[in-house]
Amino acid sequence: MIGFDGVSAQALSDTIGAIYDCALDPHQWPDTCRKIADLCESTAGGICVHDMRQVQNDQLFVFGYQPEFLEKLGKNYAQTPMAAADIVSNIGHVSALSMEPHELLESRFYREVLKPFGLLDIIWFPALRTGGRMASMHASRSEKAPHYQQLDIGLFKLLSPHVCRALTISDALDIRALRSEMLEKTLDVLVAGVFLTARDGRVVYMNDAAERQTRTGNSIRIVNNRISPTDPTARAALSKAIDEASRDDIDMDMSEHSLAIPDVDGAGYIATLLPVDRGQRSGIIAPFAASVAVFTKDPAQAPLMPGEAFARLYRLTGGELRVLLALAQGLGAKEAADMLGISEPTVRTHLQHMFSKTDTPRQSDLLRLLQNSTPQIRAPQQPVH
């Protein structure tokens, strides 16, 4: 049985099935990217995640490329035809560099990025946009093969809607809080530093406290985009801990792991590691392609715990306090449930308990009571006379 101009219907069916399997298990993407590349006789491919705000380009699940090429592509991505096309193209729209062969061969991108590594052509489509990040799937051919033809473009067009849907499903299943601007703001007011790292140890996110810790450089620095404690023993221990926390065979019930990161004066930070790509927290590019969260805190610095005294006063449970603080950040019940990893009915049950304990009739009154109990952090400005 023949499906798409010489590609068997069985091969197409198997590939599309593999694409949707990736929606629930992103670790299957490497094999699926190879299946897609094989269908259009490509020697390399994968998924690119581009952060338009940080002008950062990360290659996920790639194969067939030299590391030097990926590094050079990342540095020059903003000037590539792919970056420009992805901004103006609709999700799923397929493009190939050879669609404009004369412009390609005369371009600096071809001369300085593609040709030195023996690459002839790239075919791709934007597959997902979330905030300032964008994911696209691509495949490429070496100079030993012909340019992509209409048959190859048509095959990519056939597969692109399925890839886009699978990535959208995977993205929707992810813990949305770690991608939300609201949580970013929440992380930025924490006393503890928060570093999110990818599986290879690259730092993909830092909150304000983490940036301040690295700027002082007494205990922690960022070297080659990785957390690098100044103490050699701590540096080796942290690298090993991140690697172990990223492993697929890690115990799902593993307790958080802590280690010391001393500074030159004998003080320093306590680092706590927590895997963030297990179960509900996993996703194709989420959160920020992160695999491990590293929390760094100065033991001598008192933690900022808004609501702790309020909770003790009204005998709120830990779960009730977490719901209250999420709602206080402006989240709705469903958003708070997503952030905390609980159901919306559970959020509403906690609310009812808090209404009873605080003698408030509705959510607005409860939040007003919390606000009134929070001490003023900054002194009011004096009027200018």
Side-chain angles (χ1 to χ4, degrees), residues 76-93:
N76 293 274
Y77 184 81
Q79 289 76 43
T80 67
M82 289 99 76
D86 282 349
I87 293 174
V88 299
S89 297
N90 293 326
I91 294 295
H93 177 79

Side-chain angles (χ1 to χ4, degrees), residues 138-300:
H138 58 87
S140 63
R141 284 179 175 172
S142 68
E143 291 178 329
K144 299 178 182 179
H147 287 102
Y148 288 110
Q149 306 297 315
Q150 285 302 316
L151 171 65
D152 308 302
I153 294 172
L155 183 58
F156 245 54
K157 285 181 178 179
L158 178 68
L159 296 175
S160 68
H162 304 291
V163 173
C164 294
R165 291 187 193 112
L167 290 179
T168 300
I169 292 169
S170 183
D171 190 60
L173 291 176
D174 180 35
I175 182 168
R176 298 171 188 173
L178 286 176
R179 296 194 313 276
S180 71
E181 292 183 6
M182 184 61 69
L183 186 68
E184 288 187 40
K185 293 177 181 177
T186 302
L187 291 176
D188 282 343
V189 302
L190 294 179
V191 171
V194 180
F195 301 83
L196 298 183
T197 74
R199 282 174 172 255
D200 61 0
R202 289 178 299 107
V203 174
V204 294
Y205 173 80
M206 292 188 294
N207 71 343
D208 284 353
E211 291 184 357
R212 288 194 297 270
Q213 291 171 0
T214 59
R215 278 198 299 269
T216 61
N218 294 330
S219 297
I220 304 173
R221 297 171 183 167
I222 298 296
V223 178
N224 295 327
N225 204 27
R226 286 166 171 77
I227 308 173
S228 180
T230 55
D231 180 80
T233 302
R235 186 161 59 246
L238 180 61
S239 177
K240 180 181 178 182
I242 291 176
D243 180 65
E244 291 178 348
S246 300
R247 284 167 40 195
D248 292 331
D249 59 352
I250 191 173
D251 185 353
M252 293 285 288
D253 296 323
M254 185 198 82
S255 61
E256 58 191 28
H257 180 69
S258 297
L259 52 89
I261 302 182
D263 65 17
V264 293
D265 298 322
Y269 302 103
I270 299 294
T272 303
L273 285 75
L274 181 69
V276 294
D277 66 348
R278 300 290 180 268
Q280 184 185 14
R281 292 174 291 187
S282 66
I284 178 62
I285 60 169
F288 308 108
S291 179
V292 179
V294 181
F295 302 88
T296 51
K297 182 181 177 300
D298 183 349

Side-chain angles (χ1 to χ4, degrees), residues 5-48:
D5 289 346
V7 178
S8 73
Q10 186 62 51
L12 280 174
S13 176
D14 290 346
T15 302
I16 292 172
I19 289 170
Y20 284 109
D21 287 343
C22 294
L24 300 178
D25 184 6
H27 300 305
Q28 295 190 35
W29 273 114
D31 289 339
T32 301
C33 288
R34 288 181 180 271
K35 286 179 183 290
I36 293 173
D38 288 344
L39 282 184
C40 60
E41 300 180 346
S42 300
T43 55
I47 294 176
C48 161

